[in-house]
Amino acid sequence: MRTTTDAAMPPKLPAADLADLLSVMTRVVLPTFGKGVILRRPSMERLAERFALDSREVKTMQALRRKHGSLPLRLPLPGRPIILLLDPADVAAVLTHTPDPFETNTWEKRAALGHFEPGNVLISDAPRRATLRPLHEAALATGEPVHPCGEAFRRAVEEELGPILLSGAWELDWTAFSQGWSLLVRRLVLGRRAREDQALTECLNELRRRANWAFFRRQSKGMRQRLHDVIHRYLADPDPQSLAARMPADPAIAPESQIAQWLFAFDPAGMATFRTLSLLAAHPDARNRCLAEADGGALFRPFARQCLMESLRLWPTTPAILRETRRPVAWRGGSLPADSLVLIFTPFFHRDEETFADAHRFAPEIWEGAADHALPLAGLVPFSAGPARCPAHDLVPMIAGFALGLVLSRKRLVATAPGLAPGAMPGTLDHYRIRLRLEDHPRS
């Protein structure tokens, strides 16, 4: 891969015909964005599970690859070249060469995230990104299996999620879990004073609903300013055991936009954690191993991390990774025009049984040790990959590990509905419908 001048560019990559384009738009793009990329729509999640829409998306992508081969496929849309990746090696190459020549601040992403975090690193140009990215990595302790606030965060998990398990309920559903998770997220990000600020979360969620529509919905600058004003108040006197305390309060870096992203990103982390609990309910050996790890008391829980990674692989919370070329890029077998949108549809690579034998099996062992750093070569990118890999790729598994250990140590997971058959994971798992039956732990 190289960048070059238009005169030196090789022939264009293969293009989809009209039938292919209609298939991609109706079977892949519309269902994906219909479910809500920024904030999930429960009704669409229910439909996706009922009609196996995610599995149909993967089959549609497989059919395109059989028809056109594995080269990137151009979608002939007017005004905006869209390049659909079909080969895991291309996924690794694009993510490795981010942000040059594949930039993260695509037009589509700016239109969506601009609703609530217009100054965020994800939609910043390369020079500003070079300033902001290290701040996120320092605050989130990127590359460190245990965050410097790890012990305080473990206590926060116990104090915010523990009461749910002591309520006497025999069932744990998403409503109950998400209420505790919401308290926890505000506490982790903004400190103990923010834990009960439900109005903050409601404001953010309304902005995220608008963001689902990206440029099709007018931005509410007044509502966005209210969100940022609330975040600013917490930043003025940050809780030392919060992530906000680790982000400089310099107005030049738009700290409110940076922290809004953390609040947003912890929501899909909760979805993945809850789905992981359902996986453990269906896989007793893995459940017992996670429990033993939690009983050991260590803050670093590698097997819990592997289980979370599998939840994210099986049901990606980021179904589409977008990149944009700002100049022509030569590619194997063809060329990518300037200002192209490069689309990585992660469920295809994560659940493609034609290239990945364990696609539909719960296989936490594939993430053992440092193997997860090499798996972008196979197209497995739960936290993305390369220089723009999610800076919370260590923090989120740590928090999830604490939550998994807490639930397993307090209660015995007996059954889950909808059921998960070991060895045959469904293409969609609607977290709104998961029911975990709880019993008193045999040790209590």
Side-chain angles (χ1 to χ4, degrees), residues 161-416:
L161 295 182
I164 299 173
L165 304 173
L166 298 175
S167 66
W170 64 271
E171 186 178 78
L172 181 61
D173 61 11
W174 172 248
T175 298
F177 182 83
S178 63
Q179 287 173 350
W181 188 264
S182 185
L183 291 169
L184 173 64
V185 169
R186 291 191 293 268
R187 178 170 168 180
L188 295 179
V189 175
L190 295 171
R192 190 182 290 269
R193 287 187 297 119
R195 60 181 297 275
E196 295 203 39
D197 195 346
Q198 181 62 25
L200 168 68
T201 300
E202 291 173 357
C203 181
L204 175 59
N205 285 347
E206 178 55 33
L207 289 167
R208 290 171 60 196
R209 289 186 189 95
R210 290 171 170 266
N212 274 341
W213 294 96
F215 36 74
F216 294 110
R217 183 82 182 268
R218 186 163 58 92
Q219 295 185 7
S220 174
K221 295 182 180 178
M223 187 182 303
R224 184 177 66 203
Q225 189 59 52
R226 289 196 295 274
L227 172 71
H228 286 196
D229 287 346
V230 173
I231 294 175
H232 180 75
R233 288 200 294 271
Y234 289 114
L235 282 172
D237 182 23
D239 185 330
Q241 293 183 330
S242 70
L243 293 173
R246 298 171 61 86
M247 174 62 71
D250 180 0
I253 67 169
E256 295 84 3
S257 277
Q258 314 314 321
I259 288 171
Q261 171 65 22
W262 299 347
L263 291 167
F264 157 45
F266 264 115
D267 183 26
M271 292 160 43
T273 302
F274 194 54
R275 286 170 173 155
T276 305
L277 282 170
S278 70
L279 283 169
L280 295 176
H283 296 83
D285 289 345
R287 180 184 66 219
N288 293 337
R289 187 172 171 184
C290 270
L291 176 58
E293 192 173 63
D295 286 345
L299 296 180
F300 178 50
R301 301 175 183 181
F303 187 69
R305 174 192 175 93
Q306 293 171 224
C307 292
L308 179 80
M309 296 292 278
E310 268 298 86
S311 171
L312 288 166
R313 179 188 70 80
L314 289 164
W315 306 290
T317 55
T318 303
I321 298 176
L322 307 181
R323 294 292 186 264
E324 189 168 283
T325 61
R326 296 298 166 81
R327 58 182 183 272
V329 180
W331 204 260
R332 61 182 184 94
S335 65
L336 309 184
D339 298 320
S340 295
L341 176 68
V342 180
L343 173 58
I344 301 171
F345 183 60
T346 54
F348 167 52
F349 298 100
H350 290 194
R351 302 301 292 271
D352 179 18
E353 75 279 358
E354 294 180 1
T355 61
F356 179 47
D358 293 319
H360 306 306
R361 183 176 73 85
F362 175 57
E365 65 275 6
I366 69 173
W367 304 101
E368 189 169 358
D372 62 321
H373 299 298
L375 286 174
L377 292 174
L380 308 184
V381 287
F383 283 99
S384 188
R389 188 182 188 191
C390 173
H393 65 80
D394 290 303
L395 174 64
V396 165
M398 185 193 76
I399 299 299
F402 295 157
L404 298 175
L406 174 69
V407 174
L408 296 176
S409 63
R410 297 280 183 88
K411 295 291 181 178
R412 183 179 175 215
L413 303 182
V414 179
T416 179

